[in-house]
Amino acid sequence: MDGRILIIDDVATNRIVLKVKLGAARYHPMIASGGVEGLRMARAHVPDLILLDLILPDLSGIDVLRRLREDPVTRDIPVIVVSSSTALDDRLAAFEAGADDVFVKPYDDDLMLARLRNLLRGRQELTDLTKGHDPAMFGLAETGADFRHPGHLVLVTDRPEMALKLRHDLSPIMRDTISVLKHANALSDTDTSSSAPDIYVIDADGAQSDRALRLLSDLRSRAATR
């Protein structure tokens, strides 16, 4: 798979290492050593994906993200943030600013490349869908509406302790509804889009692995949940 990937990182060693790894994977890397240069290159070349470090000499990575998302030319480019910070607040700030994913150094190269491929595949599918057509046909030209209503997260697990832990950890920091279903009941009431949740979190640990994969396949095959 070919793809133009912009690397925005002020550390030369990091840029070189990423450039070599991406080149070996048959991608086409471009490099920028600062936020201003990165924004200029993103607008001029419109890469297929951006790898962005949070700590830059001129602009913070968060500021770069916000500007990318505010610009109609660059707002749809997938961005993976790479950070040396393990602080939860930094990762949350990156997601709130528009990051598609956040990797903390040191990260697993294979996992990074897998996520990168996933994002590029999604971008290509959207490009193929809208190519030669008016974006308004797909609702892509409408002004984005503010998201004000609580979301609905469904945790699928047969382990009560897993459900209790997730609820305990997430409830203080989110206003969304959390429901718990067993694997056997997860497909119930999904025939209409109005009843489909916004996110599924599927427990695939240990003995639940096979059921989780089957459930994922079923969810992807249904119009309301795919």
Side-chain angles (χ1 to χ4, degrees):
M1 179 187 296
D2 292 332
R4 295 169 301 161
I5 299 174
L6 174 59
I7 303 164
I8 306 177
D9 195 312
D10 65 324
V11 179
T13 303
N14 294 342
R15 296 196 301 269
I16 293 170
V17 169
L18 282 171
K19 184 176 181 180
V20 170
K21 289 179 179 177
L22 293 173
R26 301 184 63 186
Y27 295 110
H28 303 290
M30 302 177 286
I31 57 175
S33 59
V36 173
E37 181 186 12
L39 287 169
R40 178 184 59 78
M41 292 183 66
R43 205 172 199 286
H45 301 287
V46 193
D48 298 300
L49 185 139
I50 296 174
L51 290 173
L52 173 65
D53 189 25
L54 279 187
I55 302 176
L56 299 170
D58 45 4
L59 296 172
S60 72
I62 299 299
D63 287 335
V64 173
L65 259 174
R66 291 193 179 114
R67 296 191 189 189
L68 287 170
R69 294 310 183 218
E70 290 168 357
D71 189 335
V73 176
T74 60
R75 64 187 176 192
D76 295 324
I77 300 173
V79 178
I80 295 178
V81 165
V82 180
S83 173
S84 57
S85 172
T86 59
L88 177 61
D89 288 346
D90 290 339
R91 281 175 282 173
L92 289 174
F95 281 121
E96 288 172 358
D100 292 274
D101 211 338
V102 180
F103 278 77
V104 177
K105 303 174 186 176
Y107 52 81
D108 182 85
D109 289 342
D110 290 337
L111 183 59
M112 163 72 85
L113 285 173
R115 183 62 177 132
L116 184 147
R117 291 188 191 100
N118 180 266
L119 289 170
L120 287 175
R121 189 180 303 116
R123 179 169 171 80
Q124 185 59 51
E125 287 172 354
L126 179 61
T127 300
D128 292 343
L129 178 67
T130 58
K131 187 176 182 180
H133 298 284
D134 181 357
M137 291 176 61
F138 305 95
L140 302 179
E142 299 175 0
T143 302
D146 291 336
F147 182 77
R148 300 185 182 277
H149 300 291
H152 181 198
L153 181 151
V154 168
L155 170 63
V156 183
T157 181
D158 293 338
R159 298 188 294 169
E161 69 277 8
M162 168 67 78
L164 288 173
K165 184 179 187 307
L166 187 77
R167 275 185 161 166
H168 178 270
D169 291 344
L170 291 182
S171 294
I173 59 173
M174 61 187 291
R175 62 190 184 97
D176 307 288
T177 302
I178 301 175
S179 300
V180 179
L181 292 175
K182 292 186 176 181
H183 282 82
N185 302 325
L187 293 176
S188 301
D189 301 324
T190 59
D191 293 333
T192 62
S193 59
S194 61
S195 62
D198 298 291
I199 296 177
Y200 285 95
V201 177
I202 303 175
D203 183 9
D205 193 32
Q208 306 195 85
S209 176
D210 289 342
R211 280 177 293 176
L213 291 175
R214 286 196 298 271
L215 174 60
L216 178 58
S217 178
D218 282 334
L219 291 172
R220 289 300 190 204
S221 70
R222 295 168 183 246
T225 57
R226 65 187 175 193

